[in-house]
Amino acid sequence: MAAVSIWAVISFVIGLIVSTIIIYVVTKIFGGKEGIKAAFSTAVIGAIIYSVVYYLLGNGLLAGIVGGIAWLLSLRWIYKIGWLKAIVIGVIIWIITSIVGVLLPTAPGPL
């Protein structure tokens, strides 16, 4: 049981690091002047938002939409950008993290 908990923490930290790097790179491409600290904050806030929304609404389309809109609000607030730019950045981040998630699985497997 402890090994599963340790693996969950390690997976979360790795996911947070990867998300932070992707957010940082994408926002820099779009002219963001904020540093890695803002990208880290965005990744942490995103994780918190999705955790709360999925806890309250469960898995499903509604939870994904509500969580996505809430995360876009935090992205707009942290980077001081408009809705359209936040949506474009959010979609690009989602696409890249989906690709990385396939290429860099975080589930335990044979090493």
Side-chain angles (χ1 to χ4, degrees), residues 21-107:
I21 292 168
I22 292 170
I23 292 167
Y24 177 76
V25 170
V26 171
T27 54
K28 283 296 181 187
I29 290 170
F30 280 88
K33 295 178 183 16
E34 292 78 2
I36 197 81
K37 198 185 295 188
F40 179 74
S41 297
T42 305
V44 169
I45 289 171
I48 292 169
I49 287 170
Y50 275 100
S51 296
V52 169
V53 169
Y54 279 98
Y55 176 77
L56 295 174
L57 300 177
N59 288 334
L61 183 60
L62 180 62
I65 291 171
V66 171
I69 291 170
W71 185 74
L72 286 174
L73 281 168
S74 69
L75 187 67
R76 288 187 65 220
W77 175 66
I78 291 170
Y79 287 94
K80 296 167 185 58
I81 56 178
W83 273 110
L84 183 60
K85 195 171 187 178
I87 291 169
V88 170
I89 289 172
V91 167
I92 292 171
I93 289 169
W94 178 74
I95 290 169
I96 293 172
T97 53
S98 296
I99 292 168
V100 170
V102 169
L103 298 177
L104 181 70
T106 55

Side-chain angles (χ1 to χ4, degrees), residues 3 7-8 10-11 14 104-111:
W7 182 250
I10 291 170
S11 295
I14 291 170
L104 181 70
T106 55
L111 298 174

